[in-house]
Amino acid sequence: MSTVTLHSRLPRAQCVERLKGEIDPWWKLLGYCQAIGGVGEERFWLVRRRVARNSFQTLMTGRLIDDGAGTTIQCRFGMTRYAQGFLALMALMLATFLIEGATRHGWPGAGLVLGMAAFVVAFAAFGRWLARGEEAFLTEFVCELCDARIVADPVA
């Protein structure tokens, strides 16, 4: 999970207003905005609008903090909790099947489970590959809306 800190000279209330105006709610299927998400008074979350569904797309969560010279926006990027939970559940299930398969059926049963694990890893990797560039898009999107600039970028 990566992070970035942005700073805007605009007050927090104006940043919130701009974000709310350019982000469609998650339940709005046919919208015109480039991002889908939710905006509160101090926090927001958003994902890039896609024509096709991708459960492994990049999620940006952020905090809006008043400071003396405007607003500091702390952003975090990662997969949705749904995708993280799915992968954790699959790992647990496959570990259970691996132990059971190796115990009852020897290595042929374990080989089948390892093949299933390879498919799950490939599936998640393909979903993340489809989400390439979304972190930069979301950062630029928030920077443009809030007239912000990057002040702290993580060391790669």
Side-chain angles (χ1 to χ4, degrees), residues 34-56:
Q34 295 179 349
I36 299 169
V39 181
E41 292 304 312
E42 295 179 357
R43 296 184 184 275
F44 68 90
W45 67 271
L46 58 110
V47 295
R48 185 177 191 172
R49 179 181 292 283
R50 296 189 149 279
V51 176
R53 176 92 172 115
N54 179 7
S55 295
F56 297 101

Side-chain angles (χ1 to χ4, degrees), residues 84-97 116-117 119-120:
Q84 293 172 353
F86 170 77
L87 291 176
L89 183 64
M90 290 302 292
L92 181 65
M93 187 175 71
L94 289 171
T96 303
F97 288 165
M116 291 168 54
F119 173 77
V120 170

Side-chain angles (χ1 to χ4, degrees), residues 99-151:
I99 293 168
E100 183 69 21
T103 304
R104 286 197 179 183
H105 306 292
W107 287 111
L112 177 64
V113 174
L114 291 175
M116 291 168 54
F119 173 77
V120 170
V121 168
F123 183 68
F126 181 67
R128 293 303 298 156
W129 179 79
L130 289 175
R132 70 195 181 282
E134 287 186 358
E135 186 174 322
F137 168 81
L138 294 170
T139 301
E140 185 177 324
F141 180 76
V142 172
C143 283
E144 286 179 16
L145 285 179
C146 296
D147 292 329
R149 60 183 172 77
I150 297 174
V151 293

Side-chain angles (χ1 to χ4, degrees), residues 7-84:
H7 186 268
S8 172
R9 286 181 277 165
L10 301 174
R12 183 172 48 110
Q14 193 171 357
C15 289
V16 168
E17 184 179 315
R18 287 184 175 198
L19 287 168
K20 283 183 177 179
E22 293 297 325
I23 297 173
D24 279 335
W26 64 268
W27 49 264
K28 192 171 186 180
L29 297 176
L30 300 174
Y32 68 93
C33 295
Q34 295 179 349
I36 299 169
V39 181
E41 292 304 312
E42 295 179 357
R43 296 184 184 275
F44 68 90
W45 67 271
L46 58 110
V47 295
R48 185 177 191 172
R49 179 181 292 283
R50 296 189 149 279
V51 176
R53 176 92 172 115
N54 179 7
S55 295
F56 297 101
Q57 73 186 107
T58 302
L59 168 73
M60 172 194 257
T61 58
R63 288 183 53 208
L64 301 160
I65 303 166
D66 281 322
D67 60 25
T71 305
T72 299
I73 306 169
Q74 296 176 338
C75 304
R76 293 177 66 183
F77 302 93
M79 290 189 296
T80 63
R81 288 195 174 138
Y82 164 77
Q84 293 172 353

